[in-house]
Amino acid sequence: MERRMYTLTLLSLVLSGVGAVVVSIPKNVYEFARGDNITIPCAFKPKGPPKYVIISWSIEAAEVGAKEINIVTYYSADKTTDIKALYEGRVSLDVDVPRGKANLKLSNIKLEDNKLFECRLQIPSDDEGTPAATTRLVVLVAPSTPICKMQGKAEYGKNVNLTCLSEEGSPTPTYTWQSQDVRNMPRVRDPRTTDKGGILSLYNISKDTSGYFVCTSRNKIRSATCNITLTVMPPSMNIGSTAGIIGGVVALLIVLIIVIYCCCCRKKKKEEEYAMGVREEEYSDKESARNGDGRRPDGHEDPQGYDDSSVRRSPVERNDRNEERSERDYDRRKDNEDGRSDYNDRRSDYDDRRSDYDDRRSDYDDRRSDYDDRRDRPSDRNERYDDDPRYDDRRDRRSDVDDRYDDRKDRRSDVDDRYDEPYDDRDRPPVPANKPTRRHNDE
């Protein structure tokens, strides 16, 4: 095909340019893919057999109005070729002067070779006719993946531009935009929207403008796409304020969890402290019930008949004290909100009860000492009592009483040992379901 075009070119030159120099290139535009090795044909017809010719190829200047850049020159006198350093190793000439051929060979073409090329013939004393011809080399490069960006704020009533640009592409790619709604369904473009040179202009955007936008960059080689998601929000609900609100809610939840945890721990601690106070009150009430009526646990009266009026109370008094104790217990429960101060109050109450108990125990020891003295003091009455056989049963009962008092003394010793233990080292009993009331013994 190339040989045929070359023959037709020479024929046209012979028919139209007799007597003048004619240089021609078959095509105005040559298209090749980047990286190809190409040949641009150039044919010439001198007026007569030339003795000396100069053939040169040049490219258009990088700037408008600048001088062309000569890339290769052939001198027929010495058959030498001068190649510019920039194209060294990539450019060569296929010259045949008798046949009128001066083809340019260019290897591994690049995007920078996308320029206008000129073939020129110089013959001394023969400058008439058409000594030069031009053609454009188009290096075909597929468009690179475009970059999608948004210009403006995606807020109600604002105008925004969506831009799409490929850094490479020859011929220059064209750009088209397509959009889908938030449900990924295609939609008709707003009549006010414009699309020019890869810039999609959206006017007076609203919530319905939100969606998925796809840009396609395409030339005759192939195409590439990019996409961008547009989310339109009210002016006060931008990303910064939304992130601030979310952060504040998270911080509030963390603080609330910490407060609830502290309250639960504090409540548990109060219940344990309250249980300690209940255990001591129960013991004190049992002691009062056991010593208040002057009788032993088995129901028998004291043999010596000593009066224990200091701890003996009537039912009315006990009811009054129970009512007062209930009122004070209610007040104490209200005071539990004050925290540690209530614990100190209970500790003080405990110390007071322990002091009262020590006093009662001292009185009991004194009375027991008096009782022992009276029991050990010999008298005629005791001798008669011992000699009289009628009192054998009474003596047996008295012996039983002594045994029971010894047992009671042993139990009292165990209680003393317990009271001597540190208050904080004792096991804390669980809180009973019905907490008994508590009162000071001296009231």
Side-chain angles (χ1 to χ4, degrees):
M1 183 66 181
E2 183 178 347
R3 176 178 291 277
R4 185 176 181 183
M5 292 295 298
Y6 182 72
T7 303
L8 292 175
T9 301
L10 289 179
L11 181 60
S12 65
L13 289 175
V14 171
L15 294 177
S16 62
V18 177
V21 175
V22 177
V23 178
S24 64
I25 297 177
K27 292 183 180 180
N28 294 328
V29 177
Y30 286 90
E31 294 180 349
F32 296 97
R34 180 171 57 179
D36 288 350
N37 299 327
I38 67 170
T39 298
I40 302 177
C42 177
F44 61 90
K45 179 65 177 178
K47 182 172 61 175
K51 296 181 180 180
Y52 179 70
V53 297
I54 300 175
I55 303 173
S56 63
W57 279 85
S58 61
I59 59 175
E60 63 179 342
E63 299 179 0
V64 178
K67 189 177 179 180
E68 295 179 348
I69 302 174
N70 195 7
I71 61 174
V72 61
T73 303
Y74 173 78
Y75 303 94
S76 63
D78 53 0
K79 297 183 180 181
T80 59
T81 304
D82 185 14
I83 301 175
K84 191 173 181 61
L86 182 62
Y87 286 87
E88 189 72 35
R90 295 180 57 220
V91 171
S92 63
L93 282 177
D94 182 10
V95 179
D96 189 350
V97 175
R99 297 179 59 184
K101 182 174 69 172
N103 296 342
L104 175 68
K105 293 185 176 182
L106 186 62
S107 62
N108 191 23
I109 61 175
K110 303 177 180 179
L111 186 60
E112 292 79 4
D113 298 327
N114 196 353
K115 290 181 174 63
L116 186 67
F117 284 75
E118 181 187 70
C119 177
R120 182 175 291 275
L121 177 65
Q122 298 178 13
I123 301 176
S125 69
D126 188 2
D127 55 357
E128 296 179 358
T130 309
T134 60
T135 187
R136 177 168 290 280
L137 173 61
V138 177
V139 180
L140 301 179
V141 178
S144 61
T145 302
I147 299 175
C148 293
K149 295 182 180 179
M150 183 184 68
Q151 298 175 349
K153 292 184 178 180
E155 297 178 354
Y156 290 172
K158 299 290 185 178
N159 301 331
V160 297
N161 292 330
L162 303 181
T163 63
C164 176
L165 179 64
S166 293
E167 294 183 354
E168 288 187 345
S170 179
T172 302
T174 58
Y175 303 94
T176 56
W177 282 92
Q178 295 178 344
S179 65
Q180 299 174 348
D181 58 19
V182 294
R183 295 172 296 179
N184 292 330
M185 299 295 294
R187 58 185 174 186
V188 180
R189 182 180 297 178
D190 192 295
R192 296 171 296 178
T193 302
T194 61
D195 182 3
K196 184 177 180 180
I199 300 177
L200 182 67
S201 299
L202 305 174
Y203 300 96
N204 192 22
I205 60 177
S206 62
K207 182 180 179 181
D208 296 335
T209 313
S210 300
Y212 190 70
F213 291 80
V214 180
C215 173
T216 302
S217 174
R218 179 182 290 106
N219 64 8
K220 61 176 59 179
I221 304 298
R222 63 176 63 92
S223 63
T225 61
C226 67
N227 59 76
I228 186 171
T229 301
L230 179 64
T231 304
V232 184
M233 296 185 298
S236 60
M237 293 297 293
N238 52 34
I239 297 178
S241 60
T242 303
I245 293 174
I246 295 175
V249 172
V250 172
L252 181 61
L253 291 176
I254 294 175
V255 172
L256 184 61
I257 292 173
I258 294 175
V259 171
I260 294 175
Y261 176 77
C262 294
C263 291
C264 293
C265 294
R266 185 177 179 183
K267 182 178 179 181
K268 183 177 180 181
K269 186 175 181 181
K270 287 182 178 180
E271 291 176 352
E272 292 177 352
E273 295 174 353
Y274 181 70
M276 289 190 301
V278 170
R279 186 66 176 267
E280 298 301 332
E281 291 173 2
E282 290 179 349
Y283 181 80
S284 177
D285 292 341
K286 289 180 181 180
E287 290 297 323
S288 298
R290 186 165 57 185
N291 298 330
D293 56 354
R295 293 178 179 271
R296 294 190 301 273
D298 58 357
H300 294 87
E301 294 183 356
D302 191 349
Q304 296 298 326
Y306 62 88
D307 187 14
D308 194 11
S309 60
S310 60
V311 295
R312 188 177 301 156
R313 299 183 180 88
S314 65
V316 176
E317 291 177 348
R318 285 196 296 270
N319 290 335
D320 293 340
R321 292 177 64 85
N322 289 336
E323 291 178 358
E324 293 177 358
R325 185 180 297 125
S326 299
E327 293 177 358
R328 189 164 58 254
D329 182 67
Y330 173 76
D331 294 337
R332 186 183 300 110
R333 290 185 179 182
K334 292 181 62 178
D335 293 340
N336 282 342
E337 298 178 356
D338 296 336
R340 192 66 180 176
S341 60
D342 184 65
Y343 171 76
N344 296 332
D345 294 340
R346 289 197 299 272
R347 183 63 181 267
S348 178
D349 294 342
Y350 168 74
D351 294 338
D352 294 339
R353 291 195 302 272
R354 181 172 181 177
S355 178
D356 294 339
Y357 172 76
D358 292 338
D359 294 339
R360 291 197 303 272
R361 185 177 64 180
S362 178
D363 294 339
Y364 171 77
D365 292 338
D366 294 338
R367 290 193 298 272
R368 181 63 185 270
S369 178
D370 295 339
Y371 172 75
D372 293 337
D373 292 341
R374 289 196 300 271
R375 186 181 62 181
D376 295 337
R377 185 182 304 125
S379 62
D380 296 338
R381 182 180 177 181
N382 291 337
E383 292 177 357
R384 290 194 302 273
Y385 177 78
D386 294 335
D387 295 337
D388 193 346
R390 293 175 303 173
Y391 294 98
D392 291 339
D393 295 337
R394 185 176 299 178
R395 282 195 298 271
D396 294 337
R397 288 196 302 270
R398 183 173 180 179
S399 178
D400 294 338
V401 169
D402 293 340
D403 294 338
R404 283 195 293 271
Y405 266 84
D406 291 337
D407 295 339
R408 184 176 181 183
K409 186 175 181 180
D410 294 337
R411 289 196 299 270
R412 181 73 66 178
S413 177
D414 295 338
V415 171
D416 293 341
D417 293 339
R418 180 187 174 192
Y419 268 85
D420 291 337
E421 294 179 358
Y423 181 78
D424 295 333
D425 294 339
R426 300 180 184 179
D427 295 335
R428 297 179 178 180
V431 180
N434 51 349
K435 178 181 179 301
T437 58
R438 180 181 59 182
R439 288 183 57 88
H440 289 289
N441 293 323
D442 56 354
E443 294 183 356

